[in-house]
């Protein structure tokens, strides 16, 4: 099965949800989907569809590079013990690290993907998913 066919439901969902600047290309056996989601909830929905097609994102044949065009949301504080908090491309420890947030750093909450993973954006503009256990809302 061609990759575009395999992930057609994901591409269709991105189009239907209003993902702007949507670009889909295949290169070296990997399908790349790029764009800007209108909200963090849409970004989360796309990752959920990806997980349904490829459980636990195991095949490694898709790069989902869709960031949320969310207004600045609430601020959360990184509450790790000693180390930096990894920010990942998707909601899971198997996803590549795209950035880090320092202990006690205040970052922006984009959305709550689920109880374990929240979509966040650093002050440097790095966006991805962080383990919610290490984030604390600022009152």
């Amino acid at each position: 099965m061609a990759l575009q066919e395999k992930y057609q439901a994901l591409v269709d969902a991105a189009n239907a949800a209003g993902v702007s600047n949507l670009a889909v290309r295949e290169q070296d056996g990997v399908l790349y989907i790029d764009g800007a989601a209108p909200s963090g909830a849409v970004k989360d929905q796309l990752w959920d569809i990806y997980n349904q097609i490829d459980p636990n994102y195991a095949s490694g044949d898709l790069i989902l590079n869709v960031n949320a065009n969310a207004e600045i949301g609430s601020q959360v504080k990184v509450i790790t013990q000693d180390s930096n908090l990894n920010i990942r491309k998707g909601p899971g420890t198997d996803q590549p690290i795209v950035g880090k947030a320092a202990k006690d750093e205040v970052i922006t909450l984009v959305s709550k993907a689920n109880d374990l993973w929240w979509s966040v954006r650093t002050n440097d503009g790095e966006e991805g998913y962080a383990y919610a256990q290490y984030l604390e809302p600022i009152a």
Side-chain angles (χ1 to χ4, degrees):
M1 173 189 302
L3 290 177
Q4 292 214 19
E5 292 173 14
K6 178 179 178 180
Y7 292 107
Q8 190 60 50
L10 182 58
V11 174
D12 291 346
N15 276 316
V19 172
S20 59
N21 302 317
L22 185 64
V24 180
R25 64 184 164 79
E26 189 172 333
Q27 181 179 336
D28 299 326
V30 177
L31 186 68
Y32 293 81
I33 300 177
D34 302 303
S39 69
V42 168
K43 179 178 178 177
D44 296 340
Q45 175 192 15
L46 296 176
W47 277 94
D48 288 342
I49 293 168
Y50 177 15
N51 190 45
Q52 290 170 14
I53 296 169
D54 181 11
N56 299 316
Y57 323 109
S59 65
D61 59 1
L62 176 76
I63 302 294
L64 183 59
N65 189 28
V66 175
N67 289 327
N69 276 344
E71 293 298 316
I72 297 202
S74 60
Q75 302 292 296
V76 292
K77 182 178 178 181
V78 176
I79 57 167
T80 53
Q81 292 278 334
D82 299 307
S83 61
N84 291 336
L85 177 64
N86 290 331
I87 299 173
R88 297 180 178 275
K89 189 70 173 164
T93 55
D94 58 329
Q95 294 297 301
I97 296 170
V98 296
K100 292 184 182 285
K103 179 182 186 299
D104 295 329
E105 183 176 347
V106 175
I107 58 178
T108 302
L109 175 65
V110 175
S111 69
K112 294 181 179 180
N114 56 48
D115 290 339
L116 297 176
W117 293 94
W118 291 358
S119 179
V120 295
R121 184 180 301 123
T122 67
N123 296 329
D124 296 333
E126 295 170 330
E127 185 175 313
Y129 290 83
Y131 197 52
Q133 171 183 336
Y134 298 113
L135 297 170
E136 178 178 79
I138 295 177

